[in-house]
Amino acid sequence: MQGLVTKSTGSWYQVKAGNEVFDCRIKGKFRIKGITTTNPIAVGDVVDFEMEPEQGTGVITNLHQRKNYIIRKSVNLSKQAQIIAANLDQAFLIVTLASPRTSLGFIDRFLVTAEAYDIPARLIFNKLDLFSDEGLSILGDYKDIYERIGYPCYEVSAKEGTNIQQVQDQLKDKVTLLTGHSGVGKSSLINRLLPDLELKTHMISEWSDKGMHTTTFAEMFDLPQGGYIIDTPGIRELGVIDIEKQELGHFFPEMRERMNECRFNNCRHINEPGCAVLEALDEDEIAITRYESYLSIYNGNDTRS
């Protein structure tokens, strides 16, 4: 039988085949050539499975080729890689400027990862109801950085329902990943998009100003207008993985469009003469925060704030 993985709990997977959902597991060692991750199967994967005799559960026997996936590396000592979701049409990063703060470095690492795996990305700035005048000014600066290099941005309040329809309009007939730090309002936003789900939400931890995990496993939900959204556990850290230094500039759109103008074909865009990227940086055509993220990733620093 063939089905779509709609939920992963680590050792068990829910696989949807037709109108039925089956609990399935992996039998023995299940390795994918060329990919070493903590989870060989991810939500969004298409798999073959066989039902176990007299068990009512299935065994996954084959993984179909993925069109893409989005992957993260833990930045702790383990350096383990995890596939967040597979076969995506687009990814939305939910951003908050406070309670908790989403750093520009985190945003840029996510966007680079999405670019590297050919996944169109968008930014949702949530908690608009909490913004002061100063916060709105900072929001405007953030949006200017990303909209001018081609990333659509949305200002919403999941709590009050502000501008939710703008997000809803982008979801029809697409497989969409929703992700971000714990506490950015991901579950609240999904509850607005799919009110019948009634996902649990939590307050922000006062002592750390960080969100507490409410989603513990990745899960895919059907949209009434067609398509799916994939909810994921909050990501505290996001390390970039499997990107060579010489390729990195290709995943910054504002650098990619200028690279052919550099004097040297192997330009690193750091201190080379005749570098079109550095010239654009001097002329404020490339945001300094984006270039700082480039240097940070280039030098292997996955924690730039």
Side-chain angles (χ1 to χ4, degrees):
M1 299 172 67
Q2 180 178 311
L4 175 68
V5 177
T6 59
K7 187 174 184 179
S8 164
T9 63
S11 54
W12 285 90
Y13 303 88
Q14 288 185 355
V15 180
K16 182 180 179 183
N19 293 321
E20 293 187 82
V21 176
F22 301 90
D23 289 325
C24 296
R25 61 187 177 89
I26 297 170
K27 193 169 186 177
K29 291 288 185 182
F30 195 99
R31 290 288 175 261
I32 303 168
K33 188 177 181 181
I35 301 176
T36 304
T37 59
T38 57
N39 59 327
I41 301 293
V43 169
D45 275 331
V46 178
V47 297
D48 297 326
F49 65 101
E50 298 173 351
M51 297 305 295
E52 298 181 277
E54 301 178 11
Q55 293 288 327
T57 56
V59 176
I60 294 173
T61 58
N62 180 53
L63 170 67
H64 288 234
Q65 185 172 353
R66 295 165 170 146
K67 75 172 184 180
N68 61 34
Y69 55 88
I70 199 157
I71 191 169
R72 65 178 286 263
K73 180 181 69 177
S74 172
V75 300
N76 61 23
L77 292 177
S78 71
K79 300 291 186 185
Q80 289 183 314
Q82 176 193 25
I83 294 175
I84 300 172
N87 298 317
L88 302 168
D89 294 315
Q90 58 185 356
F92 283 69
L93 180 67
I94 303 173
V95 174
T96 47
L97 302 191
S99 298
R101 174 178 172 262
T102 305
S103 70
L104 289 168
F106 182 88
I107 294 171
D108 291 337
R109 288 193 297 277
F110 177 83
L111 293 176
V112 164
T113 301
E115 289 279 344
Y117 292 93
D118 292 324
I119 300 166
R122 302 169 184 263
L123 302 179
I124 298 176
F125 292 90
N126 191 24
K127 304 191 180 180
L128 195 60
D129 52 293
L130 300 181
F131 280 49
S132 62
D133 288 343
E134 181 184 5
L136 289 172
S137 176
I138 295 170
L139 172 62
D141 292 340
Y142 273 40
K143 286 183 63 183
D144 181 61
I145 291 171
Y146 295 105
E147 287 183 333
R148 69 172 174 159
I149 55 174
Y151 293 109
C153 297
Y154 306 91
E155 304 173 23
V156 310
S157 168
K159 180 180 179 181
E160 297 186 350
T162 308
N163 296 334
I164 297 300
Q165 190 60 47
Q166 292 180 9
V167 177
Q168 188 82 265
D169 291 343
Q170 305 304 316
L171 303 177
K172 181 175 170 56
D173 297 330
K174 293 183 178 179
V175 178
T176 303
L177 174 74
L178 293 178
T179 192
H181 287 316
S182 297
V184 295
K186 188 161 44 66
S187 295
S188 298
L189 177 61
I190 292 174
N191 283 337
R192 284 285 181 183
L193 297 170
L194 292 168
D196 293 342
L197 279 183
E198 297 181 351
L199 296 182
K200 292 181 180 178
T201 59
H202 272 323
M203 299 296 288
I204 300 298
S205 169
E206 291 185 6
W207 65 269
S208 69
D209 197 36
K210 294 184 184 299
M212 295 176 285
H213 291 291
T214 52
T215 304
T216 53
F217 305 110
E219 186 166 6
M220 175 183 279
F221 301 107
D222 289 70
L223 291 166
Q225 72 268 40
Y228 301 92
I229 50 176
I230 298 177
D231 184 21
T232 60
I235 300 174
R236 289 202 189 281
E237 300 160 332
L238 179 68
V240 173
I241 189 168
D242 290 341
I243 296 177
E244 300 294 333
K245 285 186 175 184
Q246 63 269 25
E247 297 176 347
L248 180 59
H250 291 278
F251 307 125
F252 284 77
E254 67 273 47
M255 295 175 65
R256 183 171 62 229
E257 68 181 29
R258 294 174 168 88
M259 289 166 60
N260 289 338
E261 300 169 19
C262 292
R263 184 182 303 173
F264 301 108
N265 290 334
N266 60 348
C267 186
R268 300 172 302 156
H269 321 298
I270 295 177
N271 54 15
E272 293 83 354
C275 173
V277 169
L278 293 177
E279 290 173 5
L281 185 68
D282 287 341
E283 295 172 8
D284 293 327
E285 293 174 3
I286 291 178
I288 183 65
T289 58
R290 291 278 292 168
Y291 184 69
E292 288 171 349
S293 288
Y294 169 79
L295 290 180
S296 174
I297 298 170
Y298 189 93
N299 291 315
N301 176 12
D302 285 324
T303 58
R304 181 182 110 72
S305 61

